[in-house]
Amino acid sequence: TLTHSLRDHVQALLGGDPQLRQLNAVVNLCVALSMELLSRKSGGKFLCNQQGLATKDLAFDAVAELFQRDDAGRFAQFEAYFESYPPGTTSEDELLIALRRLVYSRTNHALYRMYREVDPVLFKILRNVKLAVERMQQFREVDRFGEAHIVPVTCETLEHLPAFEMDELENRLLTAALGNENIPRLLGKLALVLKQKSENARIVPLIGVAMMLRAVYAGLAPAKDTG
Protein backbone atom coordinates (compact mmCIF):
# COMPACT_ATOMS: atom_id res chain seq x y z
CA THR A 1 0.00 0.00 0.00
CA LEU A 2 2.79 2.42 0.86
CA THR A 3 4.45 1.97 -2.53
CA HIS A 4 1.25 2.47 -4.54
CA SER A 5 1.74 5.20 -7.17
CA LEU A 6 5.26 5.85 -5.92
CA ARG A 7 6.44 7.14 -9.30
CA ASP A 8 3.63 9.72 -9.44
CA HIS A 9 4.30 10.84 -5.87
CA VAL A 10 8.03 11.25 -6.44
CA GLN A 11 7.47 13.15 -9.67
CA ALA A 12 5.08 15.50 -7.88
CA LEU A 13 7.63 16.02 -5.11
CA LEU A 14 10.36 16.82 -7.63
CA GLY A 15 8.01 19.25 -9.32
CA GLY A 16 7.92 21.23 -6.09
CA ASP A 17 4.15 21.36 -5.64
CA PRO A 18 2.81 17.95 -4.56
CA GLN A 19 -0.69 17.50 -3.27
CA LEU A 20 -0.90 16.98 0.48
CA ARG A 21 -1.82 13.30 0.03
CA GLN A 22 1.22 12.78 -2.21
CA LEU A 23 3.56 14.46 0.24
CA ASN A 24 2.10 12.44 3.12
CA ALA A 25 2.50 9.24 1.13
CA VAL A 26 6.23 9.83 0.60
CA VAL A 27 6.73 10.94 4.21
CA ASN A 28 4.94 7.83 5.51
CA LEU A 29 6.99 5.57 3.24
CA CYS A 30 10.27 7.16 4.36
CA VAL A 31 9.28 6.82 8.01
CA ALA A 32 8.31 3.18 7.45
CA LEU A 33 11.68 2.46 5.79
CA SER A 34 13.52 4.20 8.61
CA MET A 35 11.56 2.22 11.22
CA GLU A 36 12.40 -0.98 9.34
CA LEU A 37 16.10 -0.21 9.72
CA LEU A 38 15.87 1.02 13.32
CA SER A 39 14.03 -2.12 14.41
CA ARG A 40 17.10 -4.17 13.43
CA LYS A 41 19.71 -1.88 14.98
CA SER A 42 20.80 -2.20 18.58
CA GLY A 43 21.77 1.46 18.48
CA GLY A 44 18.21 2.43 17.59
CA LYS A 45 16.84 0.59 20.60
CA PHE A 46 19.54 2.14 22.79
CA LEU A 47 18.65 5.69 21.73
CA CYS A 48 14.92 5.09 22.10
CA ASN A 49 15.50 3.90 25.65
CA GLN A 50 17.86 6.77 26.44
CA GLN A 51 15.47 9.45 25.17
CA GLY A 52 12.16 7.78 26.00
CA LEU A 53 11.13 7.82 22.34
CA ALA A 54 9.06 5.44 20.28
CA THR A 55 10.80 4.03 17.20
CA LYS A 56 8.41 6.01 14.99
CA ASP A 57 9.42 9.28 16.68
CA LEU A 58 13.09 8.48 16.09
CA ALA A 59 12.34 7.64 12.45
CA PHE A 60 10.52 10.95 11.94
CA ASP A 61 13.50 12.81 13.36
CA ALA A 62 15.89 10.87 11.12
CA VAL A 63 14.13 11.70 7.82
CA ALA A 64 12.78 15.16 8.66
CA GLU A 65 15.55 17.12 6.93
CA LEU A 66 14.81 15.37 3.64
CA PHE A 67 11.56 17.31 3.49
CA GLN A 68 12.99 20.76 4.15
CA ARG A 69 12.23 23.20 1.36
CA ASP A 70 14.78 25.67 -0.02
CA ASP A 71 14.17 29.38 -0.56
CA ALA A 72 12.36 28.59 -3.79
CA GLY A 73 10.03 26.18 -2.00
CA ARG A 74 11.52 23.09 -3.62
CA PHE A 75 12.63 19.81 -2.07
CA ALA A 76 16.26 20.32 -3.02
CA GLN A 77 17.65 17.16 -1.42
CA PHE A 78 15.20 14.92 -3.25
CA GLU A 79 15.88 16.71 -6.52
CA ALA A 80 19.64 16.25 -6.16
CA TYR A 81 19.34 12.58 -5.22
CA PHE A 82 16.85 11.58 -7.90
CA GLU A 83 18.92 13.12 -10.69
CA SER A 84 20.39 9.60 -10.93
CA TYR A 85 16.95 7.94 -10.88
CA PRO A 86 14.62 9.87 -13.21
CA PRO A 87 11.11 8.75 -12.19
CA GLY A 88 9.90 8.85 -15.78
CA THR A 89 12.30 6.09 -16.83
CA THR A 90 12.73 4.22 -13.53
CA SER A 91 10.42 1.44 -12.41
CA GLU A 92 8.59 1.71 -9.09
CA ASP A 93 10.62 -1.22 -7.75
CA GLU A 94 13.86 0.58 -8.64
CA LEU A 95 12.54 3.82 -7.13
CA LEU A 96 11.76 1.99 -3.90
CA ILE A 97 15.28 0.55 -3.78
CA ALA A 98 16.75 4.02 -4.40
CA LEU A 99 14.52 5.60 -1.76
CA ARG A 100 15.42 2.91 0.77
CA ARG A 101 19.12 3.57 0.16
CA LEU A 102 18.59 7.29 0.75
CA VAL A 103 16.53 6.77 3.92
CA TYR A 104 18.97 4.24 5.34
CA SER A 105 21.84 6.66 4.79
CA ARG A 106 20.01 9.52 6.53
CA THR A 107 18.90 7.26 9.37
CA ASN A 108 22.46 6.12 10.03
CA HIS A 109 23.66 9.74 9.86
CA ALA A 110 20.96 10.78 12.34
CA LEU A 111 21.93 7.99 14.72
CA TYR A 112 25.56 9.13 14.81
CA ARG A 113 24.43 12.69 15.49
CA MET A 114 22.19 11.49 18.32
CA TYR A 115 24.98 9.40 19.83
CA ARG A 116 27.08 12.56 20.01
CA GLU A 117 24.29 14.48 21.73
CA VAL A 118 22.97 11.78 24.06
CA ASP A 119 26.13 9.88 24.99
CA PRO A 120 29.38 11.77 24.23
CA VAL A 121 31.55 8.96 25.68
CA LEU A 122 29.96 6.36 23.41
CA PHE A 123 30.27 8.71 20.43
CA LYS A 124 33.99 9.22 21.13
CA ILE A 125 34.57 5.47 21.29
CA LEU A 126 32.51 4.89 18.14
CA ARG A 127 34.46 7.55 16.27
CA ASN A 128 37.79 6.11 17.42
CA VAL A 129 36.73 2.58 16.46
CA LYS A 130 35.93 3.80 12.94
CA LEU A 131 39.29 5.61 12.73
CA ALA A 132 41.16 2.53 13.96
CA VAL A 133 39.40 0.31 11.43
CA GLU A 134 40.41 2.69 8.64
CA ARG A 135 44.01 3.16 9.76
CA MET A 136 45.06 -0.17 11.24
CA GLN A 137 43.46 -2.47 8.68
CA GLN A 138 42.80 -5.18 11.28
CA PHE A 139 39.16 -5.17 10.20
CA ARG A 140 37.21 -4.22 7.14
CA GLU A 141 33.88 -2.46 7.38
CA VAL A 142 30.92 -4.00 5.55
CA ASP A 143 27.28 -3.05 5.20
CA ARG A 144 24.84 -5.74 6.30
CA PHE A 145 21.12 -5.05 5.94
CA GLY A 146 21.73 -1.32 6.19
CA GLU A 147 23.93 -1.44 9.31
CA ALA A 148 27.71 -1.03 9.51
CA HIS A 149 29.57 -4.16 10.65
CA ILE A 150 33.24 -5.03 10.94
CA VAL A 151 34.95 -8.35 10.21
CA PRO A 152 38.62 -9.34 10.69
CA VAL A 153 40.68 -9.32 7.53
CA THR A 154 42.18 -12.51 6.07
CA CYS A 155 39.53 -14.86 7.42
CA GLU A 156 36.12 -16.17 6.42
CA THR A 157 33.14 -14.28 7.82
CA LEU A 158 31.17 -17.45 8.69
CA GLU A 159 27.99 -15.36 8.37
CA HIS A 160 25.86 -18.50 8.17
CA LEU A 161 26.70 -19.35 11.78
CA PRO A 162 25.07 -17.91 14.95
CA ALA A 163 26.25 -14.45 15.96
CA PHE A 164 28.49 -13.96 18.98
CA GLU A 165 26.77 -12.78 22.13
CA MET A 166 28.33 -9.40 22.88
CA ASP A 167 28.51 -10.32 26.59
CA GLU A 168 30.76 -13.26 25.69
CA LEU A 169 33.05 -11.04 23.62
CA GLU A 170 33.14 -8.51 26.45
CA ASN A 171 34.16 -11.18 28.96
CA ARG A 172 36.84 -12.53 26.64
CA LEU A 173 38.29 -9.03 26.16
CA LEU A 174 38.24 -8.34 29.89
CA THR A 175 40.14 -11.59 30.43
CA ALA A 176 42.69 -10.79 27.71
CA ALA A 177 43.15 -7.10 28.56
CA LEU A 178 46.22 -6.01 30.50
CA GLY A 179 44.54 -2.79 31.58
CA ASN A 180 46.53 -0.25 29.54
CA GLU A 181 45.25 -0.87 26.01
CA ASN A 182 43.89 1.86 23.78
CA ILE A 183 41.16 1.16 21.23
CA PRO A 184 43.42 -0.06 18.37
CA ARG A 185 45.06 -2.60 20.70
CA LEU A 186 41.71 -3.81 22.04
CA LEU A 187 40.48 -4.16 18.47
CA GLY A 188 43.54 -6.30 17.76
CA LYS A 189 42.60 -8.56 20.68
CA LEU A 190 39.00 -8.64 19.43
CA ALA A 191 40.17 -9.69 15.96
CA LEU A 192 42.17 -12.52 17.51
CA VAL A 193 39.18 -13.71 19.57
CA LEU A 194 36.97 -13.74 16.49
CA LYS A 195 39.54 -15.58 14.38
CA GLN A 196 40.19 -18.24 17.01
CA LYS A 197 36.59 -19.44 17.15
CA SER A 198 34.88 -21.14 14.24
CA GLU A 199 31.51 -21.83 15.88
CA ASN A 200 30.20 -18.27 15.47
CA ALA A 201 29.95 -15.65 12.78
CA ARG A 202 32.97 -13.34 12.74
CA ILE A 203 31.01 -10.29 11.68
CA VAL A 204 29.95 -7.88 14.45
CA PRO A 205 27.94 -4.62 14.39
CA LEU A 206 30.04 -1.48 14.67
CA ILE A 207 27.83 0.18 17.29
CA GLY A 208 27.74 -3.09 19.25
CA VAL A 209 31.55 -3.10 19.32
CA ALA A 210 31.60 0.51 20.57
CA MET A 211 29.12 -0.33 23.34
CA MET A 212 31.12 -3.41 24.26
CA LEU A 213 34.39 -1.45 24.45
CA ARG A 214 32.78 1.13 26.68
CA ALA A 215 31.71 -1.69 29.00
CA VAL A 216 35.23 -3.16 28.88
CA TYR A 217 36.77 0.18 29.86
CA ALA A 218 34.21 0.52 32.64
CA GLY A 219 35.26 -2.92 33.88
CA LEU A 220 38.92 -1.91 34.02
CA ALA A 221 40.01 0.19 36.98
CA PRO A 222 41.07 2.90 36.79
CA ALA A 223 39.44 4.02 33.50
CA LYS A 224 41.92 3.88 30.64
CA ASP A 225 42.57 6.09 27.65
CA THR A 226 39.99 5.52 24.88
CA GLY A 227 41.94 7.26 22.12
Side-chain angles (χ1 to χ4, degrees), residues 133 136-142 150-157 187 191-192 194-195 202:
V133 168
M136 304 302 293
Q137 298 296 305
Q138 301 157 309
F139 289 85
R140 58 187 174 90
E141 185 173 336
V142 296
I150 57 175
V151 61
V153 298
T154 67
C155 70
E156 295 183 23
T157 62
L187 285 177
L192 183 60
L194 293 172
K195 288 178 180 180
R202 292 172 175 146

Coordinates of all heavy atoms in Angstrom, one line a residue, residues 133 136-142 150-157 187 191-192 194-195 202:
V133 N 39.7 1.3 12.5 CA 39.4 0.3 11.4 C 40.0 0.8 10.1 O 40.6 0.0 9.3 CB 37.9 0.1 11.3 CG1 37.5 -0.6 10.0 CG2 37.3 -0.7 12.5
M136 N 44.3 1.0 10.8 CA 45.1 -0.2 11.2 C 44.9 -1.4 10.3 O 45.7 -2.3 10.3 CB 44.7 -0.6 12.7 CG 44.9 0.6 13.7 SD 46.6 1.2 13.7 CE 47.5 -0.2 14.4
Q137 N 43.7 -1.4 9.6 CA 43.5 -2.5 8.7 C 43.4 -3.9 9.3 O 43.7 -4.9 8.7 CB 44.5 -2.5 7.5 CG 44.5 -1.2 6.7 CD 43.2 -1.0 5.9 OE1 42.8 -1.9 5.2 NE2 42.6 0.1 6.1
Q138 N 43.0 -3.9 10.6 CA 42.8 -5.2 11.3 C 41.4 -5.7 10.9 O 41.2 -6.9 10.9 CB 42.8 -5.0 12.8 CG 44.1 -4.4 13.4 CD 43.9 -3.8 14.7 OE1 43.0 -3.0 14.9 NE2 44.7 -4.2 15.7
F139 N 40.5 -4.8 10.6 CA 39.2 -5.2 10.2 C 38.8 -4.5 8.9 O 39.5 -3.5 8.5 CB 38.2 -4.7 11.3 CG 38.2 -5.4 12.6 CD1 39.0 -5.1 13.6 CD2 37.3 -6.5 12.8 CE1 39.0 -5.8 14.8 CE2 37.3 -7.2 14.0 CZ 38.1 -6.8 15.0
R140 N 37.8 -5.0 8.2 CA 37.2 -4.2 7.1 C 35.8 -4.0 7.5 O 35.1 -4.8 8.2 CB 37.3 -5.0 5.8 CG 36.7 -6.4 5.8 CD 37.1 -7.1 4.5 NE 36.6 -8.5 4.5 CZ 35.4 -8.9 4.1 NH1 34.5 -8.0 3.6 NH2 35.1 -10.1 4.2
E141 N 35.3 -2.8 7.1 CA 33.9 -2.5 7.4 C 33.0 -2.9 6.2 O 33.3 -2.7 5.1 CB 33.8 -0.9 7.6 CG 32.4 -0.5 8.0 CD 32.3 1.0 8.3 OE1 33.4 1.6 8.7 OE2 31.2 1.6 8.3
V142 N 31.9 -3.5 6.6 CA 30.9 -4.0 5.6 C 29.5 -3.5 5.9 O 29.2 -3.3 7.1 CB 30.9 -5.5 5.4 CG1 32.3 -6.0 4.9 CG2 30.6 -6.2 6.7
I150 N 31.8 -4.8 11.2 CA 33.2 -5.0 10.9 C 33.6 -6.5 11.0 O 32.9 -7.3 11.8 CB 34.2 -4.2 11.9 CG1 33.9 -4.6 13.4 CG2 34.0 -2.7 11.7 CD1 34.9 -3.9 14.3
V151 N 34.5 -6.9 10.2 CA 34.9 -8.3 10.2 C 36.5 -8.4 10.1 O 37.0 -7.5 9.4 CB 34.3 -9.1 9.0 CG1 34.7 -8.5 7.7 CG2 34.6 -10.6 9.1
P152 N 37.1 -9.3 10.8 CA 38.6 -9.3 10.7 C 39.0 -9.6 9.3 O 38.4 -10.4 8.5 CB 39.0 -10.5 11.6 CG 37.8 -10.6 12.6 CD 36.6 -10.3 11.8
V153 N 40.1 -9.1 8.9 CA 40.7 -9.3 7.5 C 41.3 -10.7 7.5 O 41.6 -11.3 8.5 CB 41.7 -8.3 7.1 CG1 41.1 -6.9 7.1 CG2 42.9 -8.2 8.1
T154 N 41.5 -11.2 6.3 CA 42.2 -12.5 6.1 C 41.5 -13.7 6.8 O 42.2 -14.6 7.3 CB 43.7 -12.4 6.5 OG1 43.8 -12.3 7.9 CG2 44.4 -11.3 5.7
C155 N 40.2 -13.7 6.9 CA 39.5 -14.9 7.4 C 38.1 -14.9 6.9 O 37.6 -13.9 6.4 CB 39.5 -14.9 8.9 SG 38.4 -13.6 9.7
E156 N 37.5 -16.0 6.9 CA 36.1 -16.2 6.4 C 35.2 -15.5 7.4 O 35.4 -15.6 8.6 CB 35.8 -17.6 6.2 CG 36.6 -18.3 5.1 CD 36.1 -19.8 4.9 OE1 35.0 -20.1 5.3 OE2 36.9 -20.6 4.4
T157 N 34.1 -15.0 6.9 CA 33.1 -14.3 7.8 C 32.3 -15.2 8.6 O 31.8 -14.9 9.7 CB 32.2 -13.3 7.0 OG1 31.4 -14.1 6.1 CG2 33.0 -12.3 6.3
L187 N 41.0 -3.6 19.7 CA 40.5 -4.2 18.5 C 41.4 -5.3 18.0 O 40.8 -6.3 17.4 CB 40.4 -3.1 17.4 CG 39.2 -2.1 17.6 CD1 39.3 -1.0 16.5 CD2 37.9 -2.8 17.6
A191 N 40.0 -9.0 17.2 CA 40.2 -9.7 16.0 C 40.7 -11.1 16.2 O 40.3 -12.1 15.6 CB 41.1 -8.9 15.1
L192 N 41.6 -11.2 17.2 CA 42.2 -12.5 17.5 C 41.1 -13.4 18.1 O 41.0 -14.6 17.7 CB 43.3 -12.4 18.5 CG 44.1 -13.6 18.9 CD1 44.7 -14.3 17.7 CD2 45.1 -13.3 19.9
L194 N 37.9 -13.3 17.6 CA 37.0 -13.7 16.5 C 37.6 -14.8 15.6 O 36.9 -15.7 15.1 CB 36.5 -12.5 15.7 CG 35.7 -11.5 16.4 CD1 35.5 -10.2 15.6 CD2 34.3 -12.1 16.8
K195 N 38.9 -14.6 15.3 CA 39.5 -15.6 14.4 C 39.7 -17.0 15.0 O 39.7 -18.0 14.3 CB 40.9 -15.0 14.0 CG 40.9 -13.9 13.0 CD 42.3 -13.4 12.7 CE 42.3 -12.2 11.8 NZ 43.6 -11.7 11.5
R202 N 31.9 -14.2 12.4 CA 33.0 -13.3 12.7 C 32.6 -11.9 12.4 O 33.5 -11.0 12.5 CB 34.3 -13.8 12.0 CG 34.8 -15.1 12.6 CD 35.9 -15.6 11.7 NE 36.5 -16.8 12.3 CZ 37.0 -17.8 11.6 NH1 37.0 -17.7 10.2 NH2 37.5 -18.9 12.1

